[in-house]
Amino acid sequence: MTPGNNGASTPEDDDPFGYLYADGQANGAQPPSGGYGYPNSVNRVRPVGARQYGQQAPAPQAPPQQGAYGQPSAHYAAPETLPGGAPTAHSPQPSHGGGGGRGRGPNTKGLLIGAIAVVAAVVIGIGVAMIGGDDDDKSGNQADAGPSQTQDEGKPSPSASASAEEKADLPTIDAKALRLDGGAALASDVEGARSDGGIYVAGLNKPGATVTWTVNGIPKDGAYTVFVRYSTTDDPQSMTLTVNGKPFGTKLNMDNFARAKDGDFSKGWTQTYAYPTLNKGTNTISVSCADGDKCNVLLDQLWLKEGQVKD
């Protein structure tokens, strides 16, 4: 032997990795056989290119407990020692998306999308719950405040429109269309009368003088308002109102509401009203100067409105 070289079989000179080098192989170096604490299975070397792609490494497992120093673990077996040279358990399916059959890692994109979807669902659910709560409060507050409006305030209800049409249909009569009795007569000397031609009834300032209006077309029984337009001056006046042949209530108030003075009837035009009950169909309304009345007036027009109103 050459001095300084005891051979590859001498333990103290043996390089455990000598078999990897050309000079070690020339000297007869061999892979370790387990004498240095390495299990035989892990010391086997595959030639370059011998690994078969398309097979994935086994899933990580908990590290086995080590045996005694220099002894192989009873729970360990290299993948190459299994039948077929590949693990038979915990082997994930190969990817079908291309890449030469190489296995892929976890689908992090899919997990991220799933997480975002869950967060979005939670946020939407909270929003819906909050909106529902507001609606309950509003509905509760609305119920406490009383019934809501069911129509625009500016628009009349159908019943109001019908009432307005009925009221509009009720007649108005001018002085010259009235029946005159007891010395009452037509005149037109004083200005301010609204009746056709400025004609009014004069001569009522004596007992028995009467104007009578026969009203047709009253739509129904009930309360109505009869308006009388007249002129007077100075002291308040009052006359008798008769409805369907019967005196109605107290005297018809014909006060000097215009505050005309010194007999100036042109400045004394005003109106008064009463609330008689009329029958459906035809009714008679009379204004007369009875005993004890004050009748120094000029009478212009009469008209009706349904219900008890003031204008």
Side-chain angles (χ1 to χ4, degrees):
M1 293 186 185
T2 305
N5 184 0
N6 295 327
S9 62
T10 305
E12 58 272 18
D13 296 329
D14 188 15
D15 183 0
F17 302 101
Y19 67 95
L20 299 174
Y21 313 108
D23 55 349
Q25 294 177 6
N27 292 328
Q30 297 294 327
S33 58
Y36 291 93
Y38 300 98
N40 291 335
S41 57
V42 299
N43 293 326
R44 296 180 183 181
V45 180
R46 270 194 304 267
V48 176
R51 179 173 178 87
Q52 298 179 358
Y53 291 94
Q55 300 291 336
Q56 294 185 356
Q61 299 186 9
Q65 297 181 355
Q66 296 290 337
Y69 180 78
Q71 297 297 327
S73 172
H75 299 286
Y76 180 84
E80 292 81 359
T81 63
L82 298 174
T88 59
H90 305 288
S91 176
Q93 295 294 328
S95 172
H96 297 286
R102 186 186 300 266
R104 293 185 178 180
N107 189 356
T108 56
K109 184 177 180 180
L111 293 176
L112 179 60
I113 293 174
I116 292 174
V118 171
V119 173
V122 172
V123 172
I124 292 173
I126 293 174
V128 171
M130 294 178 66
I131 293 173
D134 291 342
D135 289 342
D136 293 340
D137 292 341
K138 290 178 182 178
S139 63
N141 292 336
Q142 188 176 23
D144 294 339
S148 61
Q149 295 290 336
T150 59
Q151 61 185 14
D152 295 337
E153 293 181 358
K155 297 180 180 179
S157 65
S159 59
S161 300
S163 299
E165 292 177 358
E166 291 177 359
K167 291 178 181 179
D169 291 337
L170 294 177
T172 297
I173 189 167
D174 288 344
K176 63 182 181 180
L178 295 169
R179 192 184 77 192
L180 307 181
D181 296 299
L186 298 178
S188 58
D189 298 336
V190 176
E191 297 180 353
R194 291 181 181 176
S195 61
D196 186 24
I199 299 175
Y200 55 87
V201 177
L204 293 172
N205 192 17
K206 53 187 174 181
T210 304
V211 297
T212 302
W213 179 21
T214 301
V215 187
N216 298 313
I218 299 300
K220 60 183 179 180
D221 296 347
Y224 291 81
T225 303
V226 57
F227 291 90
V228 179
R229 189 172 189 268
Y230 66 97
S231 175
T232 191
T233 65
D234 302 318
D235 296 333
Q237 306 295 303
S238 62
M239 297 182 73
T240 300
L241 177 67
T242 302
V243 178
N244 294 325
K246 297 180 180 180
F248 177 78
T250 58
K251 300 294 183 179
L252 183 63
N253 183 10
M254 304 183 82
D255 200 351
N256 180 15
F257 298 114
R259 299 294 181 262
K261 301 290 185 181
D262 301 327
D264 189 357
F265 283 90
S266 64
K267 295 182 179 178
W269 292 105
T270 185
Q271 67 185 43
T272 188
Y273 59 88
Y275 296 145
T277 300
L278 301 181
N279 303 321
K280 181 179 179 180
T282 302
N283 296 261
T284 58
I285 300 174
S286 299
V287 177
S288 60
C289 184
D291 292 337
D293 291 345
K294 295 182 177 180
C295 310
N296 189 22
V297 300
L298 306 176
L299 195 145
D300 184 12
Q301 292 177 321
L302 283 78
W303 67 94
L304 288 172
K305 287 187 177 182
E306 186 176 351
Q308 295 181 348
V309 297
K310 293 183 179 180
D311 52 28

